[in-house]
Amino acid sequence: MESYNGQEGEQQVKCVWVHGPIIVGAGPSGLAVAACLSQHGVPYVILERSDCITSLWQHRTYDRLKLHLPKHFCELPLMPFPDDFPKYPSKNQFISYVDSYASRFSIRPRFNQSVQSAEFDPTSEFWVVRTRDFQYISPWLVVATGENAEPVIPSIAGMDKFHGPILHTSVYKSGSQYKNQRVLVIGCGNSGMEVSLDLCRHNAFPHMVARNTVHVLPREMFGFSTFGIAMALLKWLPIKLVDKLILGVARFMLGDTARYGVRRPKTGPIELKLVTGKTPVLDVGQVAQIRSGNIKVMEGVKEITRHGAKFMDGQEKEFSTIILATGYKSNVPTWLKSCEFFTKEGMPKTPFPMGWKGENGLYTVGFTRRGLLGTASDAVKIAKDIADQWMTFKDKSYRNSHIILLKST
């Protein structure tokens, strides 16, 4: 039964009762929870602000992107990658895999449903999730918007003076349009390194800012995934010893990266990843380009000028374009109201592996800082926990249909 909130002349909002959890976000995390719920026979609704699934991968990634880890570390629950996919699937192959995943489990998100607010009502003990046209109500809320919902745009003195384009890597696609141009890439994580490499391969002249320390590791050691080797060693050895072994091999294979301006943190790469979530850069050719001088490593930017930038070491150079490889952030604080489970940065306060469940039917997925492997683990736990509760509802009619529209009071 349909009804509307609001007085005459105001925007009318449909009130929707959901016979299962509300999942916010149709990226890999939200889809993984949906698939696991379907295995338990639990209905759900997925709300997605864009017009497609995995919108980050489809709209905000560069063309040469590949999975950084072997595919078996990145598969979603209940469905492996196709056997004929390469060890490190490309962006388009990953999107194809996720499309097949959604089709296999009949996942049909509600698109163009940007959540304006979500709040737990202690009186009714239900979650109320509001979009522009709908108000969704459910006992359970799954936050699946993830760690990378919004690009981080830094504030650098003089940015408004620059004569050329300044863009974030979320809108960068290919270096083909920058041939023979001098480009400043601000950031030296995986995105900054890979964009710089892509620019090299299209005959541009990238200058990469390495203000912070970062670990650079070979993607593979002795024919095996560096990540896989580390995970195997951690079963037998303490983390500091594993880091020491990994760094020893990395120095042998890549040399001392500090000589080229890329300084390593004092904490080892695996420990740093597990404690802070900071991911090491996996080398796929960047170090060789840095050594040869094709990628120039620069110190921190002091100021953007009309035609380029001044650097902390006193240098000043001209650039035609500036690319911000400054990462992403969670957007949870902008829409999840009156909730103490998340930090002001939009990350669960409870660390992995217990950060997947909050109070009052709140769940989170895609916030482990452990990539798709962490997502898959949490999705299985969330679905089982909700299924156990859903099956115990005394009012069996509650499970007779997927969605009903309630009359507002």
Side-chain angles (χ1 to χ4, degrees):
M1 180 163 41
E2 293 191 11
S3 63
Y4 299 92
N5 293 329
Q7 299 177 355
E8 187 175 353
E10 294 181 354
Q11 181 179 343
Q12 295 179 325
V13 178
K14 291 183 181 179
C15 187
V16 181
W17 178 270
V18 181
H19 274 194
I22 300 167
I23 302 171
V24 181
S29 298
L31 300 179
V33 173
C36 292
L37 285 168
S38 70
Q39 293 298 102
H40 291 283
V42 179
Y44 56 84
V45 161
I46 300 185
L47 305 180
E48 169 55 45
R49 64 179 176 178
S50 72
D51 60 357
C52 64
I53 62 175
T54 58
S55 61
L56 177 66
W57 280 82
Q58 298 211 46
H59 298 319
R60 296 188 179 185
T61 50
Y62 38 91
D63 294 343
R64 76 176 310 274
L65 179 65
K66 292 185 177 182
L67 292 180
H68 293 136
L69 302 180
K71 61 184 179 181
H72 66 276
F73 288 117
C74 302
E75 62 190 27
L76 299 179
L78 308 171
M79 181 175 145
F81 280 90
D83 291 337
D84 60 349
F85 271 31
K87 188 175 183 178
Y88 300 96
S90 68
K91 163 187 171 176
N92 289 334
Q93 287 171 326
F94 181 74
I95 292 171
S96 171
Y97 164 73
V98 177
D99 283 342
S100 298
Y101 188 84
S103 297
R104 176 172 175 176
F105 296 103
S106 301
I107 302 170
R108 298 180 182 88
R110 291 191 160 201
F111 295 117
N112 302 307
Q113 290 291 296
S114 180
V115 172
Q116 297 176 343
S117 68
E119 189 168 11
F120 183 74
D121 177 16
T123 302
S124 65
E125 297 187 338
F126 292 128
W127 285 93
V128 180
V129 179
R130 295 178 177 87
T131 65
R132 180 182 177 184
D133 302 316
F134 291 90
Q135 178 173 283
Y136 298 88
I137 302 171
S138 169
W140 305 285
L141 174 66
V142 180
V143 178
T145 48
E147 306 158 4
N148 302 316
E150 303 290 346
V152 173
I153 307 296
S155 177
I156 304 173
M159 285 179 71
D160 57 331
K161 301 176 183 176
F162 187 64
H163 76 290
I166 299 178
L167 62 145
H168 190 269
T169 49
S170 59
V171 296
Y172 175 91
K173 296 300 178 184
S174 167
S176 57
Q177 68 187 88
Y178 303 103
K179 184 178 180 180
N180 296 324
Q181 293 184 31
R182 183 180 287 184
V183 180
L184 179 62
V185 179
I186 299 179
C188 61
N190 274 300
S191 293
M193 288 273 194
E194 289 202 20
V195 166
S196 296
L197 179 62
D198 188 54
L199 289 165
C200 273
R201 292 177 174 172
H202 286 91
N203 297 313
F205 306 105
H207 289 60
M208 183 184 69
V209 174
R211 185 187 66 174
N212 299 319
T213 58
V214 63
H215 282 296
V216 183
L217 304 176
R219 186 170 68 172
E220 293 192 343
M221 295 178 173
F222 314 114
F224 297 95
S225 158
T226 298
F227 178 79
I229 291 173
M231 293 302 101
L233 290 175
L234 282 174
K235 295 178 181 178
W236 306 99
L237 301 173
I239 191 168
K240 289 187 182 298
L241 181 54
V242 172
D243 272 336
K244 189 174 182 179
L245 292 170
I246 293 293
L247 285 175
V249 177
R251 288 192 185 96
F252 174 75
M253 296 180 66
L254 302 178
D256 181 8
T257 57
R259 291 178 55 194
Y260 312 110
V262 181
R263 297 171 292 112
R264 293 189 181 277
K266 293 181 180 179
T267 306
I270 307 303
E271 183 179 2
L272 192 67
K273 172 65 176 173
L274 297 181
V275 173
T276 70
K278 188 173 182 181
T279 304
V281 170
L282 297 179
D283 177 59
V284 291
Q286 303 96 311
V287 173
Q289 296 294 341
I290 292 171
R291 277 200 302 252
S292 67
N294 292 328
I295 297 176
K296 306 288 187 185
V297 178
M298 309 299 296
E299 291 191 17
V301 174
K302 181 178 181 180
E303 179 186 1
I304 303 295
T305 65
R306 176 169 173 76
H307 296 288
K310 294 179 181 179
F311 298 90
M312 293 299 185
D313 61 359
Q315 292 190 69
E316 182 173 356
K317 292 183 180 293
E318 293 187 357
F319 300 99
S320 58
T321 302
I322 297 175
I323 298 174
L324 304 174
T326 44
Y328 293 85
K329 63 182 178 180
S330 165
N331 69 0
V332 172
T334 65
W335 57 268
L336 185 61
K337 309 301 181 183
S338 305
C339 180
E340 299 298 321
F341 188 73
F342 284 85
T343 66
K344 64 180 181 179
E345 290 79 25
M347 298 295 292
K349 292 179 181 178
T350 306
F352 181 85
M354 300 306 297
W356 58 276
K357 183 178 181 181
E359 296 181 342
N360 302 319
L362 177 67
Y363 298 87
T364 73
V365 61
F367 294 88
T368 64
R369 299 192 188 274
R370 285 162 172 77
L372 293 169
L373 195 62
T375 287
S377 171
D378 281 356
V380 172
K381 296 175 188 174
I382 290 168
K384 184 180 186 307
D385 198 69
I386 293 176
D388 289 344
Q389 299 171 57
W390 188 75
M391 294 301 293
T392 61
F393 268 85
K394 293 182 180 179
D395 183 5
K396 301 300 182 182
S397 65
Y398 177 81
R399 297 190 274 113
N400 285 343
S401 63
H402 188 182
I403 297 176
I404 56 175
L405 300 178
L406 293 182
K407 186 178 292 184
S408 60
T409 57

